[in-house]
Amino acid sequence: MSSPPPPSIRALQATGIAILTSTAGLSAGLSFFVIPRLLESPTPVLVRQFGRMLYAARNAFPVPFILPGVLHAYLAYRLPDRMRLYAVAAALSLTTMPYTSAVMMPINRKMLAKVQAVEAADAGAGDVLVDEITASEAETAHALADAWALRNLYRPAVAFAAGIIGLYAALS
């Protein structure tokens, strides 16, 4: 039977678990609570508020998604008997960055273009159209916000799964 890990390792385990599960809840809150309220708003309000939300999230979320991945990678190195679990937790939490770049950023760019268009026009009502995805269908701000909320669910799901795997590794 192996001896319990030192307090410094326990602190890293707890930090990784706490950050991942908290970040999962905060990120899920954007999709479950913030975006549905924004979808009830007139388009210019939705666009402006969505832009503000993107700015706040862009400043708040990268470190809480990356740091636990680094911590779990270090724990995988330091605890060889639990290496696989920590490696999976690290890999999962680090997948959020390429996912964000590949899947979320195109929507973010379209919405930020809409923010500029609405601010330039200072529109009071109506729906401003963005560049078309296909020749026959243009996206509205509401459709973009809805797509963003759906695609954002990957990030909290992965963060929560990585946190649970980290918890299991810490307790096993």
Side-chain angles (χ1 to χ4, degrees), residues 112-152:
L112 291 174
K114 289 181 90 42
V115 168
Q116 291 175 347
V118 166
E119 288 177 352
D122 197 28
D127 211 1
V128 181
L129 295 179
V130 208
D131 295 332
E132 295 183 3
I133 277 185
T134 65
S136 64
E137 181 180 339
E139 292 178 305
T140 65
H142 286 78
L144 285 171
D146 191 42
W148 188 94
L150 181 64
R151 292 177 186 167
N152 180 59

Side-chain angles (χ1 to χ4, degrees), residues 3 12 14-15 51 95 145:
S3 63
L12 292 176
T15 301
T95 64

